[in-house]
Amino acid sequence: MSARDEVLSRIRTALGDRRPVPDVPRDHRTTDDRPPDELLDLLTERVEDYRATVLRCPPDAVTPAVVAALDTGLGAGVGAGWDPASVVVAPGVPDAWRPDGVATDDGRPAVGLAAFAASVTGVAVAIAETGTLVLDGSPLCGRRALSLLPDCLVCVVEAGQVVGEVPEGLGRLDPVAPLTMVSGPSATSDIELQRVEGVHGPRTLVVVLVA
Amino acid sequence: MTAVFLGIPTAPPGVGHLRGDRSFPDAARDALRDGQLRANLGHATSTIRAKRAAVVGEVPDWAELRQAGKAIKAATMARLDEHLLELETRVTERGGTVHWARDAAEANRIVTELVRATGADEVVKVKSMATQEIGLNEALEAAGIAALETDLAELIVQLGEDRPSHILVPAIHKNRAEIREIFARTIPGVDPSLTDEPRRLAMAARAHLRERFLRARVAISGANFAVADTGTLAVVESEGNGRMCLTLPDTLITVMGIEKVVPTWRDLEVFLQLLPRSSTGERMNPYTSLWAGVTPGDGPQEFHLVLLDNGRTAVLADEIGREALHCIRCSACLNVCPVYERTGGHAYGSVYPGPIGAVLSPQLTGVEDNASLPYASSLCGACYDVCPVAIDIPSILVHLRAEHVEAQQRRTPEAAAFRALARAMSHPRLWRLAQRAAGLGRFLARGRPTMPASLPPPASAWTRSRDLPTPPRETFTAAWAREHGS
């Protein structure tokens, strides 16, 4: 008998006479009726609680906000603090968000992205309650390595992408897309269970909230 | 009905890390003498308990989430075969390959062959309880393949040639100074001015692993969840080492216990709320990676999923004990357990320590191979209270104790004592005599509230590690008779 058949047969033996499947009560919150402004404030508070930075901007001034975000992450001043060529953006990031001179992910081998100091992406959805951004591998968010290897990550979130609770967030996603849920910069609690920000993933996370 | 009776094998001996070489009381006695260990554990567990309590307290529907989590797990187990088959179909449709392993040895063989086929002699690993359980690193090493642990705590354990002592934080027994010493001694080219500041230590790990991530061709991970109806795998982590392993190499091999499957995508909305708050005490862990099979142009282009039994079906056969399979490995029960807090994880012998380990390990191996673990508890119930999927650990402990007692061929001194007690308690005259005899113990106590620890056997079996209160001046029945008349 193959291992597959044997494991399945053991399960059937263990379960014996197949009793009815018990009901699953789903009485937890699945929606959030707080007004949108409150959700944006909550998202800001929760993201900042992870020691990330949130910058708000109006829809017609995203580029200056992205520049300010890169100043925050890389040191102030184009040319002085950072070189635009050291910044890579996801291929679907709209022109209206892109600072002059930045590179676009050209599909090079993934490890090549480690050469960049910062990356800029959009998100698929943002969850206010937990301060979570979800990237889905779409052109707007880029492939997974893009938001992983550069040491500074700038994510642009539009107000309409912000939901209140985890169930609403997951409900907006494609389950077979390569998804990354990002809640703050990379961190560890492995030494005396104290949180330290910045291990292997980006050590700096800056969120540009367009509202 | 037991697994033995049904002919379902438990996890085989001789491979993996489910059995200790000493009984829990023997190992615990040594651990209790280690003052540094007790200080490290006390500090770490009290930190995490406070964080967990704060973030669980702010969720108004925690009780409802907990009930949903418990019910989803019970419903999954009731049709485990069907969910696994659906998972296999979905993963295969998405370009992955599914393998089945009856036990640790078979899983190790499958993974070793898969790595060999790539030609790689080095793999990077995401922290995984399943691969620790089966002793995969040792199996790979025997085949000439170096397995590099990339989680910070796992790295500390690996570099220190130590054993993990906690499900979530395997190096919880080490403090910052001890970790600094391990890094200074074992990491080639480490900055000699390295201090014991946690941030500096984390940076040293980053520098040590960075280049290894970039050159890795094969990664091995576990899985926190696998969604049957979509074929989605989930790995929950903090440092980004998981993302490195799941994203950069050409080949990804995921080893997953069969109980990790959940039926639907919607079920994740429950567990992704329960798990981070219960484990690290965060509203959400920094990174959760979700993937289904292979995505062209993004991440590993070859994906293998190894579904592991290794005694799980034997646990499933026990209608009371099977609840232990609901565990999502958050480790909240370890952090609140008064026994774990004092002995640490090594005393349990198995990679699964603490309250959940005390119910899971003996069931995976058969209770006779971990016979002391069901007794490694005061049955205080703190573990049940914090369990995010409401596993009734105390009841399973009692159930396993009964199973162990029934399996005894010869009558134990404890059984003889309880038999005598039962006889005394059912005969009023005998009971009064016994109480009067116990009252004589007051002379030994010499006015102190507890009896001396150096009592003669059989009482010494109790007093060696516990206090025995001095019998009261007057028994309750005597007091009642005096005040109310007999």
Side-chain angles (χ1 to χ4, degrees), chain A residues 10 29 183 195 198-199, chain B residues 61 102 203 206 282 286 309:
Chain A
R10 289 176 187 175
R29 294 172 300 162
S183 307
R195 187 177 159 107
V199 197
Chain B
D61 55 347
R102 278 167 276 229
M203 286 313 104
R206 177 187 169 101
E282 293 164 306
D309 180 352

Side-chain angles (χ1 to χ4, degrees), chain B residues 179-386:
Chain B
I179 294 165
R180 191 235 157 234
E181 185 279 318
I182 292 170
F183 278 13
R185 180 163 47 84
T186 59
I187 296 182
V190 75
D191 178 0
S193 70
L194 180 68
T195 66
D196 65 3
E197 191 198 336
R199 183 174 307 277
R200 293 283 308 276
L201 295 169
M203 286 313 104
R206 177 187 169 101
H208 174 58
L209 290 174
R210 186 84 180 170
E211 194 258 332
R212 313 287 275 275
F213 284 131
L214 297 181
R215 75 169 186 231
R217 291 163 52 205
V218 182
I220 297 174
S221 83
N224 291 96
F225 308 101
V227 182
D229 74 345
T230 59
T232 312
L233 277 289
V235 165
V236 171
E237 52 128 0
S238 296
E239 297 167 14
N241 65 305
R243 293 184 64 195
M244 291 280 187
C245 294
L246 301 170
T247 309
L248 296 181
D250 309 320
T251 302
L252 171 63
I253 303 167
T254 298
V255 181
M256 177 189 115
I258 52 174
E259 82 283 18
K260 295 278 166 229
V261 69
V262 297
T264 68
W265 173 250
R266 228 194 128 186
D267 298 329
L268 284 187
E269 74 186 31
V270 174
F271 297 111
L272 288 181
Q273 294 190 73
L274 290 171
L275 179 55
R277 290 180 196 261
S278 299
S279 58
T280 50
E282 293 164 306
R283 295 189 179 100
M284 192 63 86
N285 51 291
Y287 297 129
T288 297
S289 292
L290 299 146
W291 75 97
V294 170
T295 305
D298 190 343
Q301 295 302 297
E302 197 178 329
F303 172 56
H304 297 274
L305 176 63
V306 181
L307 298 173
L308 174 73
D309 180 352
N310 204 37
R312 285 162 176 75
T313 47
V315 185
L316 189 66
D318 186 320
E319 282 185 33
I320 295 169
R322 70 169 61 138
E323 216 177 85
L325 295 176
H326 298 184
C327 174
I328 57 173
R329 309 281 188 265
C330 73
S331 69
C333 64
L334 280 60
N335 301 330
V336 299
C337 177
V339 176
Y340 177 88
E341 187 179 358
R342 284 160 182 81
T343 65
H346 290 161
Y348 293 80
S350 161
V351 294
Y352 301 110
I356 188 63
V359 295
L360 192 56
S361 308
Q363 294 197 87
L364 289 170
T365 61
V367 73
E368 289 321 298
D369 278 13
N370 268 308
S372 62
L373 288 186
Y375 300 91
S377 166
S378 64
L379 301 180
C380 75
C383 48
Y384 182 24
D385 290 343
V386 296

Side-chain angles (χ1 to χ4, degrees), chain B residues 424 427-440 475 477:
Chain B
H427 295 78
R429 236 177 73 81
L430 273 179
W431 183 238
R432 276 195 295 276
L433 277 170
Q435 284 186 316
R436 210 167 298 157
L440 295 174
T475 65
T477 44

Side-chain angles (χ1 to χ4, degrees), chain A residues 86-98:
Chain A
S86 71
V87 176
V88 60
V89 305
V93 164
D95 288 344
W97 297 3
R98 297 164 58 109

